[in-house]
DNA sequence: CCCCCCATGTAACATGTTACATGATTGA
DNA sequence: TCAATCATGTAACATGTTACATGGGGGG
């Protein structure tokens, strides 16, 4: 009898950035796929998606995983519309995502996702948790900026055999500058959130 | 009579960002796949790749497209090594990539690729062309920052029915800040490159 | 002797991109 | 009536990610 019905058999990969973005938006208020497409078209959220070709399949995956629940409205009409709401499991997934420790890797590889997490935090966790997030972010930035500066000094210090073009050096400078600005922003935001 | 004579009909999709990064590095000096892997592991170029699983196939594609030429060294030995050099066609492709007009879309969707272009420009085009690039970049930034600010004011201005959390607003502020910092950098770099 | 570095790859897989398909409704 | 908008999707495709495979050489 191989018919063991395993309930938790769903392969539960961690959601992609797009999937988190969809979860977060639907958490804000229930929406249809079309609504979500328009959000991505018309707001700076555009950074996180693109096209119905990605959004509709992602919504389907989230529904199958039990993180979203879709209900069809106007089923009788010739123009049905499927409105998605977030499930309690979906909310839990979102919460643990935004609450995760900020690692150096997040900053280096997925800084966009970090900001997405931050933008949803306000509706999901306490102000204290938001402050913790920013504090961890500041630590990670400090660490990484120092790394980058080491590289920068290696470039501009001694004449290397392998000559680095001035634009290469300037590009690195830009990278350092952008992380410094991020740090500035994080400090300012911390203050703004202070209960003082 | 068609004026377009198709010389060879290899399907010539435009290279991916990773492929441009490889072209640029090999243009700097001939390297093997392993060398390139190490560059990505050990420098801030890390932003543009990841793993041998992407790099080796990309090199093969570039060779087939005629943009790189690989020669096997130590073919007799038990540990051969394939060193890639850029072809004249590869250099031409690189040049036209870095010289392309800077569009708003590049800034919004592919700002990382923009900086990669910039970092290779020094070895490929004249200082004048670099200045043109920065000038175009500044224009695009001005335009986009204004767009973002419009969104920001829509959020913080009137109380909206759909309440936006404070972190959502702060996240947008961060976005604006980072583009402002980019603008600052571009202006500074322009001055630094001035023949004054 | 064992482990890590050199140096090359391949295989499975999920995801995103682009393009297309469908058909009702609304406004000019 | 004609175009744009609403609203849903599917199919083909290339790419990147993760994991694994191979095997010699050098240093402790």
């Amino acid at each position: 009898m191989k018919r063991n019905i395993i309930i938790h058999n769903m392969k539960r990969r961690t959601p992609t950035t797009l999937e988190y973005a969809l979860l977060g938006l639907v958490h804000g208020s229930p929406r249809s796929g079309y609504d979500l497409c328009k959000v991505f078209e018309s707001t700076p959220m555009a950074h996180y998606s693109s096209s119905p070709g990605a959004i509709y399949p992602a919504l389907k995956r989230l529904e199958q995983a039990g993180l979203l629940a879709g209900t069809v409205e106007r089923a009788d009409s010739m123009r049905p519309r499927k409105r998605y709401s977030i499930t309690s499991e979906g909310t839990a997934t979102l919460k643990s995502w935004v609450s995760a420790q900020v690692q150096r890797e997040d900053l280096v590889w997925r800084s966009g996702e970090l900001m997405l997490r931050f933008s949803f935090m306000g509706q999901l966790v306490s102000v204290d948790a938001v402050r913790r997030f920013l504090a961890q972010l500041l630590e990670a930035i400090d660490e990484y900026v120092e790394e980058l500066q080491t590289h920068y000094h290696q470039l501009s210090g001694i004449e290397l055999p392998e000559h680095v073009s001035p634009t290469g050096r300037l590009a690195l400078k830009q990278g350092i500058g952008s992380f410094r600005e991020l740090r500035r922003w994080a400090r300012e935001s911390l203050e703004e959130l202070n209960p003082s």
Side-chain angles (χ1 to χ4, degrees), chain A residues 6 10 22 35 39 59 66-67 93-96 101 103 115 133 135 145 155 165 172 175 186:
Chain A
I6 300 170
M10 301 195 250
L22 294 171
D35 290 341
V39 171
L59 287 171
L67 307 182
T93 301
L94 258 185
K95 256 189 209 171
S96 81
Q101 281 267 338
Q103 310 279 341
M115 292 314 297
F133 177 93
V145 165
L155 289 194
S165 75
L172 183 49

Side-chain angles (χ1 to χ4, degrees), chain A residues 161-178:
Chain A
E162 185 175 343
H163 182 63
V164 176
S165 75
T167 57
R169 188 179 53 77
L170 285 171
L172 183 49
K173 205 168 164 184
Q174 198 286 316
I176 295 171
S178 79

Side-chain angles (χ1 to χ4, degrees), chain A residues 13 30 40 60 72 77 98 111 118 164 173-174 176 189:
Chain A
R13 33 156 205 67
F40 287 117
K60 196 185 278 182
V72 176
S77 122
V98 302
S111 64
F118 183 80
V164 176
K173 205 168 164 184
Q174 198 286 316
I176 295 171
S189 299

Side-chain angles (χ1 to χ4, degrees), chain A residues 134-192:
Chain A
L134 288 173
Q136 289 168 13
L137 180 60
L138 281 169
E139 254 186 82
I141 296 172
D142 285 337
E143 198 184 317
Y144 191 50
V145 165
E146 216 163 309
E147 258 183 70
L148 289 177
Q149 264 165 345
T150 303
H151 270 285
Y152 186 79
H153 290 134
Q154 278 171 6
L155 289 194
S156 53
I158 312 150
E159 303 299 310
L160 296 174
E162 185 175 343
H163 182 63
V164 176
S165 75
T167 57
R169 188 179 53 77
L170 285 171
L172 183 49
K173 205 168 164 184
Q174 198 286 316
I176 295 171
S178 79
F179 282 106
R180 284 230 185 88
E181 161 61 21
L182 183 62
R183 181 164 58 187
R184 213 219 81 248
W185 168 86
R187 288 200 185 117
E188 185 183 279
S189 299
L190 254 182
E191 273 184 36
E192 200 170 321

Side-chain angles (χ1 to χ4, degrees), chain A residues 1 4 9 35 37-38 41-42 51 70-71 74 82 101-102 120 153 167 172 181-182:
Chain A
M1 303 214 314
N4 41 2
N9 198 7
D35 290 341
C37 286
K38 280 198 307 183
E41 268 172 27
S42 62
S51 59
T71 58
R74 307 206 297 257
K82 195 165 181 183
Q101 281 267 338
V102 177
F120 289 140
H153 290 134
T167 57
L172 183 49
E181 161 61 21
L182 183 62

